[in-house]
Amino acid sequence: CCCVVVLLKQWYQRRVRGLREICPNLYGAADLKTTKANELLQSAKHQTNKSEQTSMLHKSLELFKQVTVNIDLSGICTQYASVGFYEGIVELCLATAADQDNQNLAV
């Protein structure tokens, strides 16, 4: 079972890299960051080591904050809430608001 997961992950990573190389206009740097952040979030949800889980969640947050226009904010916040990462919810919402409100009218 563990070997299958590792093989699938390697296959997936090769496909993502391939998309980036073949279609940089269709699969850009923001897509790559979003994909990596989602991978980290999904891995963190299944991580039993709390320290490792926290590290993965913070790394995913930093990546999501770099691409706030391309994310499903509600979906990510729901997933963060499912693992008790409320700090991440607040930070991501604030970063998204700041990116979308250039005149700082809402912040």
Side-chain angles (χ1 to χ4, degrees):
C1 178
C2 192
C3 292
V4 172
V5 171
V6 169
L7 289 173
L8 284 173
K9 188 172 183 179
Q10 289 174 350
W11 175 84
Y12 177 74
Q13 289 173 343
R14 282 194 306 271
R15 295 297 169 249
V16 167
R17 272 189 249 117
L19 273 174
R20 177 77 176 117
E21 291 169 7
I22 295 169
C23 309
N25 292 334
L26 297 177
Y27 192 84
D31 298 308
L32 193 59
K33 287 179 183 180
T34 303
T35 299
K36 182 62 180 170
N38 276 312
E39 287 175 357
L40 285 164
L41 177 51
Q42 295 310 311
S43 294
K45 288 169 60 175
H46 302 289
Q47 181 58 250
T48 55
N49 180 314
K50 279 295 188 191
S51 174
E52 187 64 28
Q53 181 187 51
T54 301
S55 175
M56 291 171 138
L57 290 169
H58 281 281
K59 287 176 186 174
S60 74
L61 173 63
E62 290 310 311
L63 288 169
F64 281 134
K65 284 168 54 177
Q66 294 174 28
V67 291
T68 57
V69 211
N70 296 333
I71 61 172
D72 171 13
L73 183 61
S74 176
I76 294 165
C77 290
T78 299
Q79 291 183 69
Y80 277 166
S82 75
V83 292
F85 190 45
Y86 302 108
E87 169 190 345
I89 294 171
V90 172
E91 282 191 41
L92 187 57
C93 288
L94 288 173
T96 302
D99 284 348
Q100 293 181 5
D101 182 17
N102 294 334
Q103 296 177 338
N104 291 323
L105 299 174
V107 179

